[in-house]
Amino acid sequence: MAPVVQSQAFPTLSCSSGRSRSLHACHCPPASSHEQDIWQDRYRSTVDLEHHLLVNATPIVKFLLHLSQEGQRKRFIQRFDDPRKNWKFKAAAIRERKFWPQYMAAHQACLDATSTAESPWYMAPADDRNNTRLILSQIVLDTLESL
């Protein structure tokens, strides 16, 4: 069976940044639910699903593309300065930069809770797109060759 490739980008996890308005934006359970319990349930569901897929001969390859704060700053500037990339520019992204430590903590919590020996995360530096593609390609190739 072909491997399932999960690609996790930062916005996917933005709901776990620890800011209460984030849970509303994700259409999560009502505020009466304890926020930490919600995330623990989601993490457990992820691990359970991955285990189910692995038991049924479906390998999992999970990537987190890590863009450094400096790399993000450079991309923001390019999007602002280059008319061909203006459509990618969102002012809200600049406001969110002040929450960088919370996002990093949320990412780490997710990685800690969902990385297992049978289904680890592969974190790839995303500041250099060519190297990122090379790293990811090698991991996918190695996975396919191991089938």
Side-chain angles (χ1 to χ4, degrees):
M1 229 177 184
V4 173
V5 178
Q6 286 183 334
S7 175
Q8 291 282 226
F10 288 159
T12 308
L13 298 174
S14 63
C15 293
S16 62
S17 67
R19 296 185 303 133
S20 58
R21 74 174 177 86
S22 297
L23 289 176
H24 265 347
C26 294
H27 306 290
C28 294
S32 62
S33 298
H34 189 265
E35 190 172 326
Q36 190 63 27
D37 292 341
I38 292 167
W39 291 110
Q40 293 310 312
D41 288 347
R42 287 180 178 202
Y43 298 150
R44 187 175 41 257
S45 293
T46 298
V47 171
D48 290 347
L49 172 62
E50 291 170 354
H51 178 75
H52 172 78
L53 291 170
L54 288 164
V55 166
N56 289 284
T58 305
I60 309 269
V61 182
K62 300 184 293 190
F63 299 111
L64 175 71
L65 306 180
H66 177 70
L67 184 63
S68 71
Q69 200 167 14
E70 178 61 20
Q72 184 188 59
R73 186 187 70 78
K74 287 178 182 177
R75 288 188 186 178
F76 283 156
I77 291 169
Q78 288 173 346
R79 289 173 182 175
F80 189 74
D81 291 345
D82 185 344
R84 295 170 299 166
K85 295 183 179 185
N86 285 167
W87 66 273
K88 295 180 181 183
F89 182 79
K90 303 281 186 262
I94 292 174
R95 290 190 299 273
E96 290 296 308
R97 282 179 56 85
K98 67 182 172 188
F99 298 108
W100 187 271
Q102 290 97 320
Y103 282 111
M104 293 301 100
H107 293 139
Q108 192 60 54
C110 177
L111 294 174
D112 290 346
T114 61
S115 188
T116 63
E118 58 190 7
S119 184
W121 279 94
Y122 294 95
M123 187 181 308
D127 289 348
D128 178 342
R129 289 186 175 138
N130 289 332
N131 279 327
T132 301
R133 291 175 182 142
L134 180 64
I135 292 166
L136 300 182
S137 298
Q138 188 62 55
I139 294 168
V140 170
L141 181 63
D142 291 348
T143 302
L144 291 172
E145 287 176 346
S146 73
L147 298 177

